[in-house]
Amino acid sequence: MTTDSLRSGPGANGRTSGDRARLPVREHLPACGPAAASGVPVLDVVVPVYNEEKDLRPCVLRLHDHLSRTFPYAFRITVADNASTDSTPAVAAALAAELRGVRYVRLEEKGRGRALRTVWSESDAPVLAYMDVDLSTDLNALLPLVAPLISGHSDLAIGSRLARSARVVRGSKREFISRAYNLILRSSLAAGFSDAQCGFKAVRSEVAERLLPMVEDSGWFFDTELLVLAERAGLRIHEVPVDWIDDPDSTVHIVRTATEDLKGVWRVGRALAVGALPLDRLARPFGDDPRDRALTGVERGLARQLVGFCVVGVLSTLFYLALYSLFRLGVGPQLANGGALLVSAVANTAANRRLTFGVRGRDGAVRHQAQGLVVFAIGLALTSGSLAALGAATGSPSHSTELAVLITANLAATVLRFLLLRAWVFPARACPEPEPEPDPDSEDVR
């Protein structure tokens, strides 16, 4: 299966990514039901391998035994062979024939990300996971990893070797590289998760269906790109501290992998900066809790927009006052006020466009700035009128009095500015309501 076909084809549930405007509400997966009765597993654990003829059999046997003894749901183990050239295919095929719930998938191209994308896209399981073949991570963390996804609490889950309560045994070189890499992610991409590269992750299938077509990397950076996009889209990522022992026989080429990762950081950072990724496709409806869904009369996103608008407004006001004081040194109060308002209005519209109302990309930017200038004109009329009234009343007011009047006028203009930005400049995009499912008992269906 090619990357292009994955980007345009349906996901695990047979629906294309454009069928819905947003992700559905997370639901707790039932312990038993039609899916369980039909033999569809709840969990599909992928083990990507390349030339692992020695470690593959003990890994799968141990993993299968652990899941059989401890996991309360139906499961599947999928060995994803990345074009191995040794006897790995024969070992994998033998395991699939020997053990119930084990299957083997062969890919003719290398790349861990390519293997995960292919298997996850084709899987019918509602929870998808993967782990490295060396089983460096203690398997006792597997159930805590997938439990928040099964319960509907989280969208993705990752094992973390850098969490406070994790216990890790590895060399100083790998420890330094891992911490340095995650520091780079925090500083350059504002990543909030603690460990991007631990080979122990899980995702809900409906999230993978939307998220995988956005991930370009097919190698080791696949994990990082997946997590960064999910986090930027506002999805919930659960972290599990793990016990982890380094594999001294690991075949990962550290320098080459680090170089490719840095290239990936630059590519993803640039795409996020210009708004080239349709992250709105990953939005969850507000209120997964049924009590929240029952609320009426509450506009979705209003609280978040108010917070963003207030933060931008405070910064814009400080910027405006600084500009006014600077311009006032050379010109009269009206010109200083007009110039300060004009410059700060352009910055305010750009900041609110991206931070408050979540509009990214260049589409409509000119129109938004033009509408923002209309809002600016209203603010100019309020503040200039206040200054004119002050001058008429007192003759020669002090600078502090001018600032006090301007602050009061700006507070009044701020309320009107938010209403105009929300209702006119950046109106909420209407999402089509999903069509109701047909009733199997109705006469029309029959």
Side-chain angles (χ1 to χ4, degrees), residues 31-64:
C32 57
S38 63
V40 176
V42 170
L43 173 66
D44 193 347
V45 183
V46 182
V47 182
V49 293
Y50 173 72
N51 288 349
E52 297 287 355
E53 58 184 3
K54 184 176 86 170
D55 293 336
L56 179 56
R57 182 173 180 81
C59 162
V60 173
L61 289 176
R62 180 180 164 196
L63 176 59
H64 189 273

Side-chain angles (χ1 to χ4, degrees), residues 385-436:
S386 300
L387 282 176
L390 177 65
T394 61
S396 299
S398 65
H399 182 64
S400 59
T401 303
E402 286 182 353
L403 289 180
V405 169
L406 287 173
I407 291 173
T408 303
N410 267 289
L411 288 176
T414 296
V415 176
L416 182 59
R417 184 183 305 123
F418 176 76
L419 296 176
L420 288 174
L421 288 176
R422 180 176 170 82
W424 180 48
V425 183
F426 307 109
R429 288 169 292 182
C431 295
E433 293 294 330
E435 295 183 3

Side-chain angles (χ1 to χ4, degrees), residues 257-272:
T257 301
T259 302
E260 293 300 319
D261 286 347
L262 292 177
K263 291 179 181 178
V265 170
W266 168 256
R267 174 177 54 79
V268 172
R270 183 177 56 185
L272 291 172

Side-chain angles (χ1 to χ4, degrees), residues 80 111 184 186 217 352 404:
I184 291 173
R186 288 177 178 271
D217 192 81
N352 276 310

Side-chain angles (χ1 to χ4, degrees), residues 306-349:
L306 280 172
V307 171
F309 180 79
C310 288
V311 172
V312 172
V314 169
L315 296 177
S316 297
T317 300
L318 295 176
F319 183 49
Y320 159 77
L321 292 175
L323 288 175
Y324 177 81
S325 298
L326 178 63
F327 294 163
R328 190 66 177 84
L329 297 176
V331 298
Q334 294 290 357
L335 286 177
N337 176 60
L341 270 177
L342 178 60
V343 176
S344 61
V346 173
N348 180 277
T349 300

Side-chain angles (χ1 to χ4, degrees), residues 16-17 47 52 59 68 154 159 164 206 214 251 272 284 339 352 370 416:
T16 61
S17 59
V47 182
E52 297 287 355
C59 162
S68 299
S154 301
R164 180 170 299 178
E206 73 271 16
M214 301 184 195
T251 59
L272 291 172
R284 286 281 191 192
N352 276 310
L416 182 59

Side-chain angles (χ1 to χ4, degrees), residues 19-346:
D19 285 344
R20 295 167 296 172
R22 57 177 60 197
L23 285 166
V25 172
R26 289 186 297 260
E27 299 287 353
H28 195 304
L29 299 175
C32 57
S38 63
V40 176
V42 170
L43 173 66
D44 193 347
V45 183
V46 182
V47 182
V49 293
Y50 173 72
N51 288 349
E52 297 287 355
E53 58 184 3
K54 184 176 86 170
D55 293 336
L56 179 56
R57 182 173 180 81
C59 162
V60 173
L61 289 176
R62 180 180 164 196
L63 176 59
H64 189 273
D65 175 69
H66 178 84
L67 289 171
S68 299
R69 290 185 296 103
T70 65
F71 193 68
Y73 293 84
F75 66 87
R76 177 195 296 137
I77 300 172
T78 301
V79 179
D81 176 20
N82 291 281
S84 294
T85 57
D86 61 0
S87 61
T88 295
V91 175
L95 287 167
E98 174 184 345
L99 299 175
R100 182 179 180 182
V102 175
R103 68 168 178 155
Y104 165 57
V105 175
R106 167 77 177 184
L107 289 87
E108 298 304 328
E109 295 181 86
K110 292 176 61 177
R112 181 178 70 173
R114 179 178 288 106
L116 293 177
R117 187 201 316 276
T118 302
V119 176
W120 281 357
S121 297
E122 296 177 342
S123 179
D124 53 357
V127 176
L128 311 167
Y130 95 89
M131 62 179 57
D132 292 335
V133 69
D134 55 19
L135 293 186
S136 295
T137 304
D138 183 11
L139 290 178
N140 287 327
L142 182 55
L143 184 54
L145 181 80
V146 301
L149 308 187
I150 293 174
S151 69
H153 174 271
S154 301
D155 298 294
L156 299 92
I158 65 173
S160 176
R161 300 162 297 184
L162 302 180
R164 180 170 299 178
S165 57
R167 296 187 297 176
V168 177
V169 178
R170 62 176 167 180
S172 57
K173 180 180 179 181
R174 286 182 176 270
E175 179 75 11
F176 172 78
I177 292 175
S178 179
R179 291 189 178 274
Y181 179 65
N182 282 279
L183 180 61
I184 291 173
L185 294 181
R186 288 177 178 271
S187 59
S188 61
L189 298 179
F193 46 85
S194 64
D195 191 350
Q197 293 287 40
C198 181
F200 196 69
K201 294 181 176 68
V203 60
R204 285 178 67 103
S205 62
E206 73 271 16
V207 174
E209 177 188 355
R210 300 286 188 89
L211 189 53
L212 290 178
M214 301 184 195
V215 179
E216 293 186 17
D217 192 81
S218 296
W220 293 96
F221 187 69
F222 175 89
D223 299 53
T224 301
E225 189 170 358
L226 187 85
L227 292 175
V228 169
L229 299 186
E231 186 176 59
R232 286 297 186 95
L235 298 181
R236 184 176 293 161
I237 301 174
H238 179 74
E239 295 198 16
V240 179
V242 297
D243 298 342
W244 195 87
I245 300 177
D246 189 17
D247 178 15
D249 299 325
S250 175
T251 59
V252 178
H253 193 288
I254 297 178
V255 176
R256 183 172 63 245
T257 301
T259 302
E260 293 300 319
D261 286 347
L262 292 177
K263 291 179 181 178
V265 170
W266 168 256
R267 174 177 54 79
V268 172
R270 183 177 56 185
L272 291 172
V274 301
L277 297 168
L279 298 180
D280 55 337
R281 286 174 46 201
L282 298 172
R284 286 281 191 192
F286 173 75
D288 284 347
D289 191 309
R291 293 170 297 179
D292 296 331
R293 298 200 296 275
L295 292 176
T296 58
V298 178
E299 294 186 68
R300 296 179 179 179
L302 178 60
R304 182 189 62 79
Q305 290 178 356
L306 280 172
V307 171
F309 180 79
C310 288
V311 172
V312 172
V314 169
L315 296 177
S316 297
T317 300
L318 295 176
F319 183 49
Y320 159 77
L321 292 175
L323 288 175
Y324 177 81
S325 298
L326 178 63
F327 294 163
R328 190 66 177 84
L329 297 176
V331 298
Q334 294 290 357
L335 286 177
N337 176 60
L341 270 177
L342 178 60
V343 176
S344 61
V346 173

